[in-house]
């Protein structure tokens, strides 16, 4: 039997727990907090299939203790997410949102030599923090723009991948200091919370741009707003926020910030693939099989 919540809004916590009574499988979204109290209140659960690659909404350690399998949706969203992070990068550097507003507001009266000058992308240095699937997809796109690519990750890519992507591993400090664009593709972990803060923003070039399509709390939003306002960096393209759906009020008023409501993987094709993969994961566990894309709690424990 399937209990389908059709509205595109999260169920309240009490209702979610009530509807999970006696259920073995849950297909859920990143807006559903699957924490220890919920897992304790739903002892029949065998699998939680998150329709997302990120799973910071789920207490994986607690779930594993209780024998609940957690799955996510990697791979199917890699290219779409990288497409959007690249879109933010370009829109921010070339001031697309400001330009659109300028035209709509009837300000385009004549061509001007110095109007809406932006930053070049081609030939610049791209710094990628988190060199997993999406980070690597960003590096692949950078090749088309003749960019130098630096990356930071706890694990080095193999030499063949580094050669193919023309990417050089470096430490975070060097990456922040030397990059013209810094793009974040790290999971949200205790050690990546506020990885980008006032101190790190001050070490970036004044002409540099920040892109975040990973998780909001990786960036200290108040510090970012100050950095953008006071010109520590040139601009930022932000798809994710510290306290979604809240957005730091100072960010909203800044013309050099391009803001999006967490839609990096939101293409019709990809959303369908994510939903199908999550359902396949859920059914596999309920049928006693290994799901296609389980979250490996050992990998998490090693981090
Ligand atoms: C993910 O997959 O983690 C995205 O942030 C939500 O689609």
């Amino acid at each position: 039997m399937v209990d389908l919540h059709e509205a595109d809004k999260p169920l309240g916590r009490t209702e979610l727990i009530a509807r999970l009574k006696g259920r073995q499988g849950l297909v859920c979204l990143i807006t559903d907090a699957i924490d220890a109290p919920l897992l304790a209140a739903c002892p029949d659960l065998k699998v939680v299939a998150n329709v997302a690659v990120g799973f910071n909404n789920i207490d994986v350690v607690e779930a594993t203790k209780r024998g609940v399998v957690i799955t996510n949706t990697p791979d199917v969203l890699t290219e779409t997410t990288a497409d959007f992070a690249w879109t933010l990068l370009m829109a921010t550097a070339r001031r697309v949102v400001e330009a659109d507003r300028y035209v709509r507001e009837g300000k385009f009266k004549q061509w001007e030599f110095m109007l809406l000058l932006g930053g070049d992308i081609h030939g610049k240095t791209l710094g990628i923090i988190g060199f997993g699937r999406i980070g690597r997809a960003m590096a692949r796109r950078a090749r088309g723009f003749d960019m130098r690519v630096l990356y930071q990750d706890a694990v080095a890519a193999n030499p063949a991948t580094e050669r193919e992507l023309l990417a050089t591993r470096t430490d975070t400090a060097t990456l922040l200091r030397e990059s013209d664009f810094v793009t974040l593709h790290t999971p949200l972990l205790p050690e990546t919370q506020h990885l980008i803060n006032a101190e790190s923003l001050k070490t970036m070039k004044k002409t540099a741009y920040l892109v975040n399509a990973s998780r909001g709390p990786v960036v200290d939003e108040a510090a970012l707003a100050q950095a953008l306002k006071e010109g520590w960096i040139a601009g930022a393209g932000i798809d994710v926020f510290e306290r979604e759906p809240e957005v730091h009020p100072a960010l909203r008023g800044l013309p050099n910030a391009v803001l999006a409501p967490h839609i990096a993987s939101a293409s019709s094709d990809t959303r369908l693939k994510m939903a199908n993969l999550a359902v396949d994961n859920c059914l596999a566990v309920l049928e006693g099989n290994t799901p296609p894309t389980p979250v490996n709690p050992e990998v998490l424990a090693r981090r």
Side-chain angles (χ1 to χ4, degrees):
M1 185 208 158
V2 175
D3 178 1
L4 181 64
H5 171 59
E6 286 198 61
D8 201 2
K9 279 201 171 63
L11 282 175
R13 189 173 173 78
T14 315
E15 191 183 347
L16 177 60
I17 291 175
R19 284 170 68 169
L20 278 174
K21 284 267 146 51
R23 306 273 178 232
Q24 286 79 42
L26 169 65
V27 175
C28 67
L29 302 175
I30 55 169
T31 40
D32 300 308
I34 311 302
D35 53 15
L38 182 138
L39 290 162
C42 308
D44 297 311
L45 269 184
K46 289 187 169 35
V47 54
V48 174
N50 214 32
V51 193
V53 66
F55 46 83
N56 52 293
N57 56 313
I58 301 174
D59 187 337
V60 179
V61 174
E62 181 65 24
T64 307
K65 265 194 233 154
R66 293 178 170 276
V68 178
V69 177
I70 305 300
T71 68
N72 66 343
T73 61
D75 302 313
V76 292
L77 49 65
T78 300
E79 300 302 328
T80 301
T81 303
D83 283 350
F84 192 76
W86 201 266
T87 303
L88 281 178
L89 182 155
M90 295 193 72
T92 308
R94 297 307 307 273
R95 305 177 63 178
V96 174
V97 175
E98 282 178 89
D100 177 88
R101 208 171 290 140
Y102 185 85
V103 173
R104 285 174 203 272
E105 289 172 0
K107 292 183 179 157
F108 185 27
K109 304 288 188 210
Q110 61 174 40
W111 186 83
E112 288 173 45
F113 191 66
M114 300 298 279
L115 181 63
L116 287 166
L117 300 185
D120 267 332
I121 297 156
H122 67 275
K124 298 286 181 169
T125 298
L126 175 67
I128 303 172
I129 297 188
F131 208 53
R133 300 173 188 85
I134 300 169
R136 290 171 196 210
M138 290 298 279
R140 227 176 303 119
R141 282 156 180 74
R143 293 182 54 178
F145 288 78
D146 291 327
M147 295 176 92
R148 169 184 178 229
V149 174
L150 300 175
Y151 76 92
Q152 187 284 324
D153 197 291
V155 182
N158 67 44
T161 303
E162 289 190 348
R163 268 197 306 278
E164 184 208 331
L165 299 175
L166 305 174
T168 305
R169 185 168 178 236
T170 186
D171 55 276
T172 307
T174 308
L175 183 146
L176 291 171
R177 203 173 51 243
E178 295 192 7
S179 297
D180 300 296
F181 296 89
V182 173
T183 186
L184 307 175
H185 301 287
T186 177
L188 177 60
L189 302 166
E191 60 271 28
T192 60
Q193 174 126 13
H194 283 192
L195 181 74
I196 301 298
N197 51 36
E199 205 184 319
S200 47
L201 286 160
K202 279 183 183 157
T203 67
M204 288 173 66
K205 296 182 184 179
K206 283 194 177 359
T207 50
Y209 298 88
L210 178 74
V211 173
N212 188 12
S214 60
R215 284 293 182 263
V218 175
V219 176
D220 178 341
E221 223 162 85
L224 175 63
Q226 191 182 357
L228 291 170
K229 188 157 179 252
E230 296 180 5
W232 308 352
I233 64 170
I238 303 294
D239 183 47
V240 287
F241 299 89
E242 251 193 286
R243 283 170 285 275
E244 290 179 15
E246 270 175 51
V247 176
H248 195 288
L251 273 184
R252 287 207 230 144
L254 292 167
N256 51 351
V258 174
L259 310 177
H262 200 150
I263 55 166
S265 63
S267 74
S268 316
D269 289 346
T270 292
R271 285 287 197 240
L272 186 60
K273 286 183 198 158
M274 290 164 70
N276 283 338
L277 178 54
V279 170
D280 288 348
N281 274 321
C282 185
L283 292 178
V285 176
L286 296 183
E287 286 161 3
N289 299 320
T290 305
T293 53
V295 169
N296 183 349
E298 282 169 30
V299 173
L300 208 66
R302 276 206 303 275
R303 271 185 177 140

